[in-house]
Amino acid sequence: MNAGLIGALTIALWFLILDVIQGDLLGTPVMLGNSLISIFLQPGELPSRAGAFLLYTVFHVAAFAGVGLLFAWVMNAAERTPSAFIGFAGLFIVFEIGWLGWTAVLAEGRFGELSWLQVFLANLIAAGVMGYYLFRQHPGLAGRVELAIAGSPE
């Protein structure tokens, strides 16, 4: 779960930097919170700016806690079977491409203020930071994965 919290914090910092540059402090989480709640409310019934921020923050941290648990599970499984990491890496690439497409679709609607490039870069940065943290927790795994890629016996 630590990896997920690190990923959530990384993305939050990324969007904070972008929001400060654009002159709209916390604009991205507020917009995403409003978009999230608009799925369940009638048009025009949006929460306060603070409410939208809190809603999205709770959702974001919970989602990344789950992702962190999944990443940790994969890393632990890869300790026993390094090829599990290779399969996960392939699924991660497919997920990122799908998420990129989904973000582009959403940008046409209620998420229009958020560019697909901002989300894609945020995901790559967070995945890199989370991966770095997890590989530090499993120092011998990188070598075993390299051997599995090369087809050498473990």
Side-chain angles (χ1 to χ4, degrees), residues 1-94:
M1 186 159 70
N2 287 343
L5 297 177
I6 290 168
L9 180 60
T10 300
I11 288 182
L13 288 173
W14 168 256
F15 284 120
L16 178 65
I17 291 167
L18 292 177
D19 289 347
V20 166
I21 290 169
Q22 295 173 354
D24 186 15
L25 187 63
L26 304 178
T28 300
V30 168
M31 182 268 301
L32 291 170
N34 282 330
S35 297
L36 186 62
I37 198 69
S38 71
I39 295 169
F40 304 105
L41 297 177
Q42 296 295 323
E45 294 183 29
L46 295 178
S48 67
R49 188 167 169 90
F53 172 78
L54 289 174
L55 171 73
Y56 181 72
T57 299
V58 169
F59 172 79
H60 185 244
V61 169
F64 267 87
V67 168
L69 288 172
L70 174 65
F71 278 17
W73 178 80
V74 167
M75 295 298 273
N76 288 328
E79 285 283 348
R80 294 182 300 282
T81 310
S83 59
F85 182 80
I86 298 166
F88 177 75
L91 287 175
F92 175 77
I93 291 168
V94 169

